[in-house]
Amino acid sequence: MVTKSTPDRGDAFDPDCPTRVVLDRIGDKWTVLVIGALQDGPLRFSVLRVRVGGVAAKVLTQTLRAMERDGLLTRTVHAQVPPRVDYELTDLGASLTGPIQTLTDWAETHLSQILGARETYDAALDPPLDAR
Amino acid sequence: MVTKSTPDRGDAFDPDCPTRVVLDRIGDKWTVLVIGALQDGPLRFSVLRVRVGGVAAKVLTQTLRAMERDGLLTRTVHAQVPPRVDYELTDLGASLTGPIQTLTDWAETHLSQILGARETYDAALDPPLDAR
DNA sequence: AGTGCTTGGTTACCAATGGTTACTGTCGCG
DNA sequence: CGCGACAGTAACCATTGGTAACCAAGCACT
């Protein structure tokens, strides 16, 4: 018997735990960036694309749809001649900006340590042999 | 002149900003789970694999190597007969547990909202047509 | 009137990544 | 002598991320 042992705590290690669902979404690079981009107010698709930088339209669309599905943002289509679609964070989406900010703060603080560790690690490999 | 405008703030939206490097690592689903698994102390490879749940050995290896490179954990090989490798968080890695905990807390708190939104969204589509 | 531009996509298509399965090497044990 | 444990690695697929081309609607311009 495997006795799946209901994951009471946020045992995200169990693939069956729904917390994992959320982590999968957060774990998406673009989702995090989109939330960051939208935290100052709604943006339209094309602006968002530039703002996030380096995201392909297709992937941005996918990301936005997934986020809309999860209730993180709303998608408003204006029936205009050049189509205009606004994306805006919902309260739920906005509530994520805090945790994400914590993360980016950490990133900024420890960036140099990481880059340093990376250099050390790479230097420890046989330099002639192109590591990677 | 493009004048890349030095990303002074942690403008992770600029792909050139090194903060993005860190976000890419955090954005890795397995990295987050590994840190969670290791926060109570060092674990050996096989235990880690079970603990994380659903990770393939190859991917776990990749993840651990990348984390080692970034100075998030140490890899200790014991020259024993059945090989034994222990992975332990460094101080740097341990300092990430806080931000990550923030995230998982959010996940637990808002999980029901997300699942609810998801149901609503799915129900809005033509039920006969199997969306997705 | 016709052409082209803008916006927000979608549809191939291709490369990279994630994931699964099988296999290796060493050494003690039965 | 062969089996099993451990920590991977190799080879091989599947899924996904990313690119480039195209579409539809309507207006401005020629």
Side-chain angles (χ1 to χ4, degrees):
Chain A
M1 258 319 134
V2 189
T3 320
K4 270 293 174 189
S5 80
T6 51
D8 42 84
R9 271 193 348 156
D11 194 3
F13 307 122
D14 187 335
D16 294 335
C17 172
T19 304
R20 190 79 160 249
V21 169
V22 178
L23 268 197
D24 281 353
R25 180 129 323 292
I26 310 266
D28 182 29
K29 179 174 58 172
W30 299 120
T31 300
V32 175
L33 294 173
V34 165
I35 288 184
L38 287 180
Q39 68 183 336
D40 296 328
L43 293 178
R44 53 195 305 184
F45 187 85
S46 51
V47 177
L48 204 45
R49 184 144 69 117
V50 173
R51 191 77 210 280
V52 168
V55 67
K58 189 189 78 170
V59 178
L60 182 55
T61 303
Q62 287 173 354
T63 304
L64 291 170
R65 289 285 146 77
M67 292 174 72
E68 187 193 3
R69 184 166 105 103
D70 287 350
L72 295 177
L73 52 76
T74 57
R75 178 171 177 274
T76 314
V77 182
H78 303 270
Q80 292 181 355
V81 178
R84 176 197 178 93
V85 182
D86 280 319
Y87 292 93
E88 184 169 17
L89 287 185
T90 60
D91 289 344
L92 182 60
S95 74
L96 243 182
T97 58
I100 285 179
Q101 192 59 47
T102 306
L103 223 45
T104 51
D105 286 348
W106 184 93
E108 283 180 53
T109 306
H110 299 280
L111 176 62
S112 59
Q113 284 183 68
I114 290 184
L115 294 181
R118 206 171 275 192
E119 270 182 53
T120 304
Y121 185 94
D122 290 348
L125 304 169
D126 254 353
L129 211 170
D130 190 12
R132 204 212 134 59
Chain B
M1 254 328 130
V2 188
T3 321
K4 268 293 176 190
S5 78
T6 51
D8 42 83
R9 271 195 348 157
D11 194 2
F13 308 123
D14 187 334
D16 294 336
C17 173
T19 304
R20 189 81 158 248
V21 169
V22 179
L23 268 197
D24 281 353
R25 179 130 322 292
I26 311 268
D28 182 30
K29 179 175 58 172
W30 300 120
T31 299
V32 175
L33 294 173
V34 166
I35 289 184
L38 287 179
Q39 68 183 333
D40 298 327
L43 293 178
R44 53 196 304 184
F45 186 85
S46 52
V47 177
L48 203 46
R49 186 144 69 117
V50 174
R51 191 79 211 279
V52 167
V55 67
K58 189 189 79 169
V59 179
L60 182 56
T61 302
Q62 287 173 354
T63 304
L64 291 171
R65 289 286 145 79
M67 292 174 71
E68 187 193 4
R69 184 165 104 103
D70 287 350
L72 296 177
L73 52 76
T74 57
R75 177 171 177 273
T76 312
V77 182
H78 303 270
Q80 292 180 358
V81 179
R84 176 196 178 92
V85 182
D86 280 319
Y87 292 93
E88 182 168 18
L89 288 185
T90 61
D91 289 344
L92 182 60
S95 73
L96 244 181
T97 57
I100 286 178
Q101 192 58 48
T102 306
L103 223 46
T104 50
D105 285 348
W106 184 93
E108 283 178 53
T109 306
H110 299 280
L111 175 63
S112 60
Q113 284 183 69
I114 290 184
L115 294 180
R118 206 170 273 193
E119 270 181 53
T120 305
Y121 184 94
D122 290 347
L125 306 169
D126 254 351
L129 209 169
D130 190 10
R132 210 215 132 56

